[in-house]
Amino acid sequence: NGYNVFPREIDEVLFTLPGVLEAAAVGTPSEKTGEVIHAYVVSQEGETLDATDIINHCEKYLTHYKVPAKVILVDTLPRTPAAKIDKNQLRQRSLSG
């Protein structure tokens, strides 16, 4: 909808939630708004996270258009050869799933 959203800002809010080990937000194409945000979250060992709780946490700290439309809980995040989170691969997952 013409708003600039920086995934790193969303990542930082996700990291403030207890139980989050890793997180990555990515923009995914949307016919309605141009892009929507999907957040991929890895929980710490022994922690149980719920997608609804994660979205509620984000709503407390982010403007409504920055809140992830979807939270995907995963065991691990894909990495590039340089050991960085591979956000391109996450975007592809969002597109295909």
Side-chain angles (χ1 to χ4, degrees):
N1 282 344
Y3 295 109
N4 287 327
V5 177
F6 299 98
R8 184 68 193 162
E9 180 182 0
I10 299 160
D11 295 349
E12 289 175 5
V13 169
L14 292 167
F15 289 132
T16 65
L17 182 63
V20 172
L21 178 64
E22 292 185 301
V26 295
T28 303
S30 165
E31 290 180 17
K32 182 179 177 185
T33 60
E35 279 194 333
V36 294
I37 299 163
H38 289 181
Y40 288 83
V41 178
V42 177
S43 62
Q44 293 176 349
E45 190 173 329
E47 294 287 333
T48 303
L49 296 173
D50 178 70
T52 304
D53 293 337
I54 294 169
I55 290 173
N56 290 339
H57 176 77
C58 289
E59 287 174 341
K60 291 179 189 176
Y61 300 100
L62 296 168
T63 306
H64 69 90
Y65 61 86
K66 295 180 180 181
V67 174
K70 185 175 183 181
V71 172
I72 301 101
L73 300 168
V74 294
D75 294 329
T76 61
L77 294 175
R79 302 274 179 191
T80 66
K84 291 184 176 185
I85 294 171
D86 190 343
K87 290 196 174 192
N88 288 327
Q89 190 173 358
L90 293 176
R91 277 187 207 90
Q92 289 303 314
R93 282 189 196 177
S94 288
L95 287 171
S96 65

